[in-house]
């Protein structure tokens, strides 16, 4: 049987405690299971923001999508993560990535390691957290072979990007790679994908500007076929997500804050 769907929404602003509380309650009311905060300079600080959301809710789970592991020493990250776990009554899901924005490393006055070094440090951090806080679910998101190998071997949840092109079904190829890397552990993994574009309420065509920023070499037609892009009616989008679950086992869907209202209609179709 396919895994049950879960739905997350990303929080992009945190101007006050009341605003965070309002957004968290809104996420619950719209049917979302998890509230996420990203980890970028200029965005809300993840742990204080999620602590405010935890204080305002009782069932909504709280996630980071995703922390730049290279910004943290493992022991200090474990301290903050276990504190939020306890303050939220065990509702934390810790998302980790290797980091990729050189300008943010420079602004933080940190060296910018090579891709190999960043992924090695991600593994080190994840293994430390596994030992110190084994009850905190870990999500690792990415696309390359080395990162997906770390995710396959150490994570509970794997965030898939859908690949950098649409020819030859890269999503199937990435999941096959993940399955081989995970071995017997694969059936215990929850597979996730983040949606970067979908239609606004009353429309069937998405704004592709965010997706194009990450995939500048693709045409509009190619972008519309990317797994991270949804288009069409509410029923069509629901059918597409059912197809992702049935074909690829992807059952955990995260959308951006701007898509929350429109996606809530899809949630209603899927539950």
């Amino acid at each position: 049987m396919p895994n049950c769907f879960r739905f997350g929404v990303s929080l992009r602003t945190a101007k006050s405690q009341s605003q965070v509380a309002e957004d968290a309650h809104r996420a619950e009311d719209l049917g979302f299971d998890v509230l996420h905060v990203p980890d970028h300079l200029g965005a809300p600080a993840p742990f204080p923001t999620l602590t405010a959301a935890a204080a305002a809710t009782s069932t909504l789970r709280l996630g980071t999508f995703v922390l730049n592991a290279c910004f943290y020493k493992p022991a200090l990250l474990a301290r903050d993560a276990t504190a939020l776990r306890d303050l939220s009554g065990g509702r934390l899901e810790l998302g980790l990535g290797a980091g990729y924005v050189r300008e943010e490393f420079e602004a933080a006055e940190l060296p910018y390691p090579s891709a190999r070094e960043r992924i090695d440090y991600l593994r080190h951090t994840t293994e430390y957290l596994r030992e110190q806080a084994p009850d905190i679910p870990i999500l690792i998101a990415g696309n390359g072979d080395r990162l997906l190998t770390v995710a396959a071997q150490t994570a509970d949840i794997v965030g898939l990007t859908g690949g950098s092109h649409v020819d030859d079904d890269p999503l199937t190829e990435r999941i096959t790679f993940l399955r081989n890397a995970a071995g017997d552990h694969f059936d215990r993994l929850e597979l996730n994908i983040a949606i970067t574009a979908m239609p606004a309420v009353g429309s069937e065509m998405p704004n592709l500007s965010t997706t194009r920023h990450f995939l500048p070499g693709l045409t509009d037609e190619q972008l519309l076929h990317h797994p991270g892009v949804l288009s069409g009616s509410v029923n069509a989008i629901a059918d597409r997500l059912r197809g992702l679950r049935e074909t690829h086992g992807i059952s955990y869907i995260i959308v951006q804050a701007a898509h929350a209202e429109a996606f809530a209609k899809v949630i209603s179709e899927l539950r």
Side-chain angles (χ1 to χ4, degrees):
M1 293 293 293
N3 293 331
C4 294
F5 277 117
R6 291 205 304 150
F7 305 107
V9 60
S10 181
L11 181 69
R12 290 296 178 180
T13 61
K15 296 179 180 179
S16 67
Q17 183 175 3
S18 61
Q19 179 253 309
V20 172
E22 181 180 345
D23 288 346
H25 286 302
R26 176 169 168 264
E28 283 186 317
D29 291 343
L30 291 174
F32 289 96
D33 303 289
V34 190
L35 182 73
H36 286 275
V37 174
D39 188 23
H40 292 290
L41 296 183
F47 287 108
T49 303
L50 290 173
T51 300
T57 57
S58 58
T59 61
L60 187 69
R61 295 188 67 79
L62 311 156
T64 55
F65 195 87
V66 290
L67 294 183
N68 179 347
C70 294
F71 279 2
Y72 302 87
K73 294 296 185 182
L76 300 179
L77 178 56
R79 179 194 64 180
D80 288 355
T82 54
L84 179 52
R85 174 202 63 194
D86 296 342
L87 291 170
S88 67
R91 288 182 281 149
L92 175 63
E93 299 179 3
L94 195 66
L96 298 170
Y100 63 93
V101 183
R102 177 189 290 271
E103 292 78 9
E104 292 192 355
F105 282 82
E106 293 171 350
E109 299 183 3
L110 294 170
Y112 184 63
S114 68
R116 176 177 290 274
E117 290 170 331
R118 298 197 307 275
I119 293 171
D120 286 346
Y121 190 78
L122 172 64
R123 177 184 285 277
H124 169 61
T125 300
T126 305
E127 290 175 347
Y128 184 92
L129 289 164
R130 276 287 179 224
E131 181 177 333
Q132 299 298 319
D135 57 333
I136 297 178
I138 292 178
L139 178 154
I140 293 179
N143 186 61
D145 287 359
R146 295 190 72 247
L147 191 145
L148 284 181
T149 298
V150 173
Q153 296 171 353
T154 65
D156 302 288
I157 308 162
V158 180
L160 297 152
T161 68
S164 58
H165 58 90
V166 295
D167 299 329
D168 302 321
D169 194 4
L171 185 58
T172 295
E173 187 277 329
R174 290 290 77 192
I175 293 175
T176 299
F177 179 91
L178 183 69
R179 181 187 296 275
N180 291 335
D184 294 340
H185 181 59
F186 180 80
D187 289 339
R188 297 191 293 274
L189 293 175
E190 183 178 32
L191 302 187
N192 159 269
I193 197 160
I195 303 302
T196 57
M198 70 168 292
V201 175
S203 174
E204 295 191 2
M205 288 298 295
N207 181 336
L208 297 172
S209 57
T210 299
T211 313
R212 188 177 291 108
H213 173 76
F214 293 103
L215 299 169
L218 299 188
T219 66
D220 283 2
E221 183 177 358
Q222 289 174 317
L223 289 175
L224 287 170
H225 285 89
H226 191 273
V229 174
L230 301 176
S231 61
S233 67
V234 169
N235 287 337
I237 290 172
D239 285 343
R240 183 169 182 182
L241 294 180
R242 290 188 189 100
L244 283 177
R245 185 176 66 171
E246 293 166 6
T247 302
H248 299 295
I250 296 171
S251 58
Y252 184 12
I253 313 297
I254 298 173
V255 301
Q256 306 303 307
H259 304 146
E261 294 283 351
F263 195 75
K265 298 180 181 298
V266 180
I267 294 176
S268 296
E269 288 291 322
L270 292 171
R271 284 185 167 157

